[in-house]
Amino acid sequence: MQVHTELSTGRVIRGAASYRSAQGSVYTPGISRETVGARAIFLGRVTLGPGERTRAHIHEGHESAFYLLSGEDVELWTGERLQHCERAQAGDYLFIPANVPHVAVNRSAQLPAVFIGVRNEPTAQESVVMHPELDALVP
């Protein structure tokens, strides 16, 4: 993939190859440092397959926002001990403040959860800090 560093024109991006993130979801970058030389933003598709979940993690200094395009019975666990759980369905927006531990769980046995995600970091992975000691707190 060619990295674009000159930011003097707008761009139409077809999307980059998908990859499994450190936290466990599948990322398909659209706008990122790697695709267009973005300096401050990541925008892309994030997918959790049926029955999948992310591993407990934070994004140091970076906020995350998601729009759930499709899926059902998606849980977002947040808080210092992952004690707060909210359920999302298609059409909902999710917000995760910087430095807040979180786990997303797709409880559907049949449907993937597909999000459009944005983060104020250009690679979507540069500030990920895993917290394996919290994983067992989410059933």
Side-chain angles (χ1 to χ4, degrees):
M1 169 184 351
Q2 180 181 3
V3 175
H4 300 278
T5 56
E6 185 178 329
L7 298 177
S8 60
T9 62
R11 300 280 317 279
V12 173
I13 305 303
R14 303 264 183 257
S18 298
Y19 65 90
R20 184 148 315 257
S21 67
Q23 55 270 40
S25 50
V26 174
Y27 273 66
T28 307
I31 307 302
S32 69
R33 178 178 294 147
E34 295 81 7
T35 61
V36 296
R39 296 180 185 145
I41 193 168
F42 169 88
L43 172 67
R45 188 174 64 235
V46 180
T47 304
L48 266 179
E52 290 184 350
R53 58 174 273 161
T54 63
R55 290 182 285 285
H57 64 284
I58 66 168
H59 296 274
E60 286 186 320
H62 295 104
E63 297 176 328
S64 302
F66 297 91
Y67 176 74
L68 184 53
L69 282 172
S70 61
E72 59 184 29
D73 205 12
V74 176
E75 297 172 351
L76 176 62
W77 294 79
T78 61
E80 189 175 312
R81 302 286 300 155
L82 299 172
Q83 71 276 13
H84 181 78
C85 180
E86 291 191 45
R87 292 188 184 276
Q89 58 187 327
D92 287 343
Y93 294 87
L94 296 80
F95 174 71
I96 304 158
N99 305 309
V100 170
H102 55 284
V103 169
V105 182
N106 181 4
R107 297 286 182 196
S108 174
Q110 299 174 349
L111 298 175
V114 180
F115 303 86
I116 296 298
V118 65
R119 186 169 299 114
N120 63 328
E121 66 172 313
T123 71
Q125 296 296 296
E126 67 189 39
S127 70
V128 172
V129 177
M130 304 306 295
H131 283 272
E133 73 281 5
L134 299 177
D135 281 329
L137 298 177
V138 175

